[in-house]
Amino acid sequence: LLLLLVVAVVPSVDGFAVPSSPTAIPSSVVARIRQATHLTTHSVRNITAAREAVKLWDDVLVLRHDDNNIRTAVGCNTEDELKAQTQIKSHSLPPAVLASCLALHATALSQVGNDKRAQRVYKSALSPPLRQYLTPKSMADVCLGRAGCLQRLMRYYEAYEQLLEFLDIRTDTDESIGS
């Protein structure tokens, strides 16, 4: 399970590489991230906590409403797309924090059974502009989480490909992933 601990203004993440950022995150956002993280870590045993976590992550990560479409950082494939979409309710989250938040959001979505949305959010956390901020262990957790979602959606070949990506990550690193 991914664990995010918010310390001071910039969250630090167990298993995530979160460098210091000159961008100050408003304290109200930090508080919501902290609460969503706490709920996500308890969502394995408590469906109510998972539902509340999803609501909080949606609140933190939803950017704006355009013609009844909710736009989020999900689906960004380039640094420019990411920059264009990281204006989150009049503040910006640094990419390292965004990667961690997306991974935890996907975990909560999966816990409430929303695998279709969870696999897309996991995929965003693994996108080129964000994946560099995940440690090998975190990247492996995200790959396995997405593979599980795809398997439950009966998208077996995609799940297989995601598991192959996990094996590549595991092979490419000296860091222990198995714990």
Side-chain angles (χ1 to χ4, degrees), residues 43-65:
S43 67
V44 173
R45 298 176 304 275
N46 184 340
I47 191 68
T48 304
R51 287 186 181 123
E52 288 301 312
V54 168
K55 287 179 189 176
L56 278 168
W57 287 123
D58 285 343
D59 183 49
V60 170
L61 297 171
V62 170
L63 302 170
R64 60 183 174 273
H65 298 271

Side-chain angles (χ1 to χ4, degrees), residues 6 15 37 41 48 55 66 69 98 117 131 140 151 166 174:
V6 180
T37 299
T41 62
T48 304
K55 287 179 189 176
D66 295 34
N69 292 323
L98 182 60
R117 189 167 165 218
R131 75 183 299 134
Q151 181 268 326
F166 162 73
D174 295 331

Side-chain angles (χ1 to χ4, degrees), residues 4 43 45 51 100 103 110 161 169:
L4 173 73
S43 67
R45 298 176 304 275
R51 287 186 181 123
S100 302
S110 182
E161 288 178 329
I169 292 165

Side-chain angles (χ1 to χ4, degrees), residues 157-168:
Y157 186 74
E158 290 174 81
Y160 169 75
E161 288 178 329
Q162 193 65 62
L163 289 171
L164 289 177
E165 183 176 345
F166 162 73
L167 292 173
D168 286 343

Side-chain angles (χ1 to χ4, degrees), residues 6-178:
V6 180
V7 178
V9 177
V10 178
S12 66
V13 181
D14 180 28
F16 290 90
V18 180
S20 296
S21 171
T23 305
I25 302 171
S27 60
S28 61
V29 175
V30 171
R32 288 195 310 261
I33 291 172
R34 182 179 290 145
Q35 181 64 20
T37 299
H38 175 75
L39 289 169
T40 301
T41 62
H42 292 88
S43 67
V44 173
R45 298 176 304 275
N46 184 340
I47 191 68
T48 304
R51 287 186 181 123
E52 288 301 312
V54 168
K55 287 179 189 176
L56 278 168
W57 287 123
D58 285 343
D59 183 49
V60 170
L61 297 171
V62 170
L63 302 170
R64 60 183 174 273
H65 298 271
D66 295 34
D67 302 319
N68 298 323
N69 292 323
I70 296 174
R71 297 192 52 180
T72 68
V74 174
C76 298
N77 292 314
T78 67
E79 191 71 36
D80 289 339
E81 287 178 22
L82 181 65
K83 284 180 184 174
Q85 298 224 8
T86 52
Q87 289 303 316
I88 300 176
K89 295 183 179 178
S90 78
H91 64 274
S92 294
L93 290 179
V97 175
L98 182 60
S100 302
C101 289
L102 288 171
L104 290 162
H105 186 203
T107 300
L109 286 165
S110 182
Q111 290 298 321
V112 298
N114 194 341
D115 287 317
K116 186 174 183 178
R117 189 167 165 218
Q119 72 84 22
R120 288 193 313 259
V121 177
Y122 276 130
K123 184 176 181 179
S124 292
L126 291 169
S127 67
L130 295 178
R131 75 183 299 134
Q132 66 186 330
Y133 298 103
L134 299 174
T135 65
K137 181 175 181 353
S138 297
M139 201 175 313
D141 290 343
V142 171
C143 285
L144 290 173
R146 183 165 185 263
C149 290
L150 290 165
Q151 181 268 326
R152 287 186 295 277
L153 292 168
M154 294 189 279
R155 293 166 55 183
Y156 300 116
Y157 186 74
E158 290 174 81
Y160 169 75
E161 288 178 329
Q162 193 65 62
L163 289 171
L164 289 177
E165 183 176 345
F166 162 73
L167 292 173
D168 286 343
I169 292 165
R170 191 162 183 179
T171 304
D172 291 344
T173 183
D174 295 331
E175 184 175 311
S176 173
I177 295 177

